[in-house]
Amino acid sequence: MRSGNPALNDKTFTRHIDLTGEDRMTLMGTVHKTGALLLLLVVTASITWGMVMDMGANGRLAVNPSVGAYAIGGAIGGLIFAVITIFKPRWAPVTAPIYAALEGLFLGAISAVFERMYPGIVPQAAALTFGTLFALLAAYRSGLIKATENFKLGVIAATGGICLVYLATILLGFFGIGIPFIHGSGPIGIAFSVFVVIIAALNLVLDFDFIENGAEAGAPKYMEWVGAFGLMVTLVWLYIEILHLLAKLRGNR
């Protein structure tokens, strides 16, 4: 089993097979826990969203100065608990919800900023994200899309390439150097974002396959939280990339 998602690797499930008779991981259990994480993320996102979208006394939209601290804290904290969940899967029933809550603080803030810049963009991005999720799930369950080994290798390679580009962007940014075109709203920048959105979406297929294989392998019950966490990581990435793409399209008008 192979997944491009760092939260779900070859041995995530198989190394945690427990033969003591404890309750096993199921697909529906993973679905329920994914829903719980999404709900928690939305609740905390509403906090920072409200801070950004608060109406000022003069009727204009005013940003709460503390929102930056919440957003940065959420992003860093989310990363920390994501790493903990990856290396300590047994802690996932605790660390996965904390990750979702912290990530919500970050997403709520950046979503509100984009919404202020481009009214209506957040509902569009959310609809496209969940539309993609359900469309790919239906295609996967019907057998229209199959996670073959070559498919997995291709998606993993593309995901790794995107990560290297983003890492290079961050490192070069410290020296005031930007990678031309790909982050702009021109044709090349839009094409790059479309490519990234496609790869992020295809990672969902790998996640579906991996979770299904984990359930079939008889992974212990707590691994449902790991599977739900892995899906959350991909969904958050997909949502951010779709938001970025829509912003580029709006900015290109």
Side-chain angles (χ1 to χ4, degrees):
M1 295 187 289
R2 206 183 256 119
S3 172
N5 189 332
L8 304 176
N9 58 49
D10 285 349
K11 298 180 180 179
T12 300
F13 291 112
T14 56
R15 69 186 176 198
H16 296 286
I17 300 301
D18 191 345
L19 301 180
T20 62
E22 93 175 81
D23 289 341
R24 303 301 184 184
M25 174 185 183
T26 65
L27 291 177
M28 284 309 300
T30 305
V31 169
H32 293 157
K33 289 173 175 60
T34 301
L37 294 182
L38 283 171
L39 179 60
L40 185 57
L41 183 145
V42 170
V43 169
T44 57
S46 67
I47 297 173
T48 46
W49 172 279
M51 289 180 175
V52 177
M53 303 299 284
D54 249 352
M55 294 299 294
N58 59 1
R60 289 188 165 187
L61 292 174
V63 178
N64 188 315
S66 64
V67 69
Y70 280 95
I72 294 174
I76 296 175
L79 177 61
I80 291 173
F81 278 92
V83 172
I84 293 174
T85 305
I86 291 170
F87 288 99
K88 292 289 185 179
R90 286 186 178 272
W91 296 1
V94 174
T95 57
I98 295 176
Y99 161 81
L102 291 170
E103 202 67 28
L105 294 176
F106 171 68
L107 286 185
I110 64 169
S111 295
V113 170
F114 273 96
E115 183 68 16
R116 289 186 60 180
M117 294 171 60
Y118 309 104
I121 194 173
V122 168
Q124 292 175 356
L128 286 171
T129 299
F130 286 104
T132 301
L133 169 67
F134 293 124
L136 286 176
L137 179 59
Y140 173 76
R141 298 297 292 173
S142 67
L144 188 62
I145 296 180
K146 295 183 179 180
T148 64
E149 286 303 309
N150 288 336
F151 176 88
K152 295 175 185 178
L153 287 172
V155 174
I156 292 170
T159 302
I162 292 169
C163 290
L164 289 176
V165 171
Y166 283 162
L167 180 60
T169 300
I170 294 172
L171 294 177
L172 291 174
F174 288 124
F175 302 98
I177 302 173
I179 299 179
F181 304 118
I182 65 172
H183 297 298
S185 57
I188 296 178
I190 291 174
F192 176 75
S193 285
V194 169
F195 172 73
V196 175
V197 166
I198 292 172
I199 297 304
L202 292 179
N203 268 275
L204 288 172
V205 176
L206 270 62
D207 294 343
F208 298 151
D209 179 72
F210 208 85
I211 291 170
E212 185 175 57
N213 288 336
E216 291 177 354
K221 195 70 173 176
Y222 68 84
M223 293 301 291
E224 292 176 351
W225 285 106
V226 178
F229 162 75
L231 269 179
M232 284 291 297
V233 170
T234 303
L235 285 173
V236 167
W237 178 34
L238 179 61
Y239 169 76
I240 291 174
E241 294 300 342
I242 290 177
L243 196 62
H244 195 197
L245 173 59
L246 292 176
K248 286 183 178 181
L249 292 172
R250 296 263 193 114
N252 196 40
R253 291 179 180 176

